[in-house]
Structure formats: C-alpha cells, structure tokens
Amino acid sequence: AQRVTQPEKLLSVFKGAPVELKCNYSYSGSPELFWYVQYSRQRLQLLLRHISRESIKGFTADLNKGETSFHLKKPFAQEEDSAMYYCALMDAGNMLTFGGGTRLMVKP
Amino acid sequence: ETGVTQSPTHLIKTRGQQVTLRCSSQSGHNTVSWYQQALGQGPQFIFQYYREEENGRGNFPPRFSGLQFPNYSSELNVNALELDDSALYLCASSLWLAGDTDTQYFGPGTRLTVL
C-alpha cells in the first residue's frame, strides 16, 4: 500500500528565508505527486502537480525517484505563505493518499 | 464554472444516528471522491464514485456508503455513528478519462460532530 510521510508537523521560518517542506513516499508503481495548500479558513487547493513542472507562487518541487521524495521549496518565504501544506500521491486508480501535513509559519 | 460545493457546513449528531452529507461536483467533472479529515491529520480516502458506481474504497467499514447521481452530484451516508466519526468530511471532484488522471478539486467540507 502507498504511504506519504511529511516528517515535520511545524516549520517556522523568517520572512525572506528559504523554505523546504519535506515529503517522502512509498509506492510500487509510477507515482503522480501533488502539493495541496490550505490557507486559514479556506478550502484545500492545489499548489502544484509534479507532472506539470510549473512554479506556483514561487514554489517548486522535484520528484526524486531514487530517494522517493517530493520536497517543496521556495527560495524566499513570504508571510502570506503561512498555511498548512499537504503532500499527496495519486495511484493508478485516481485515488489520493495524503501525508499528515506541515504547518508553515512565516514570521515577519 | 462553479466549484465544488458541500452541504451542510456543520452538523451535530449523537451516537447511533445516521447522517447524509451532500456534494455538488465542479462543472464538467465526472468523478467524486470523499475523504475524512480528523483533527490534526491529513485527509483519508473513503471512496470514489465514477459514472454512478463505486470505483474504489479506502479502509472504512460498510456503514460508510455513498451514491452518485446522473448529474454527478454525490452523497455520503454514515450509519450507526460513532464518536470517532467526528471529523471534517471533504468531497473532491475531477474529470477522469480512461488511461489518464486529473487533479482533484476540493469542496469546503462538512464538519461533523458526534456526541
């Protein structure tokens, strides 16, 4: 069975500092990976999807199959980036498995 | 184009009761997935409906059941409610084409409290 692990429940950084939210996965097939974000009092929304290789709001994520990781990175954090971030894996049946989430706090 | 909507927003029930939660898909989507999100945890997959049939199920007991209607809206039914069923229930819709996957778009959720 697939599994997604986000080892940090809370990550606190200062504005302008680099950010890396870690995500590791286990899956026997070819993974499709996502990052979802949930801002305060808002619904869960897609941040980025590895297959599209886009950079959204300055965030990027690279799939590393050797290390089974899909870490989310941003070179300079902004206060508006404070939110809950969830890494998720989609299997061949179109079903998502989520990690436990990391709360990012960006301090002024 | 309207997004995914869910009703009701909040619900309070007592142990042993039954509950029905509703979800309207985003326009053009044919697949609905339901997730349970307990406090402090990531969403957990309950089941998915595609073309009015259950298309996959997570590790949830049979008292969790669902329906999908011809207009692709969906219901989640939970019988014999237990205290541990207290959670945020999320609905997500997507367009699933054979051999392809699509992003799932989430509704705002229904907060269920079981007393």
Side-chain angles (χ1 to χ4, degrees), chain B residues 30-42:
Chain B
N30 59 10
T31 303
V32 173
S33 304
W34 285 91
Y35 295 84
Q36 181 195 66
Q37 186 175 19
L39 202 60
Q41 297 182 25

Side-chain angles (χ1 to χ4, degrees), chain A residues 32-73:
Chain A
E32 184 148 6
L33 287 147
F34 299 77
W35 278 98
Y36 279 85
V37 60
Q38 189 167 31
Y39 301 102
S40 179
R41 295 194 174 90
Q42 294 188 27
R43 67 181 65 190
L44 203 58
Q45 57 186 279
L46 178 70
L47 181 62
L48 57 81
R49 175 175 178 174
H50 95 269
I51 198 169
S52 65
R53 301 189 68 80
E54 292 177 329
S55 171
I56 308 295
K57 298 185 179 183
F59 284 97
T60 59
D62 288 319
L63 177 60
N64 185 324
K65 291 187 178 180
E67 294 184 358
T68 60
S69 68
F70 188 56
H71 303 328
L72 184 68
K73 299 177 184 178

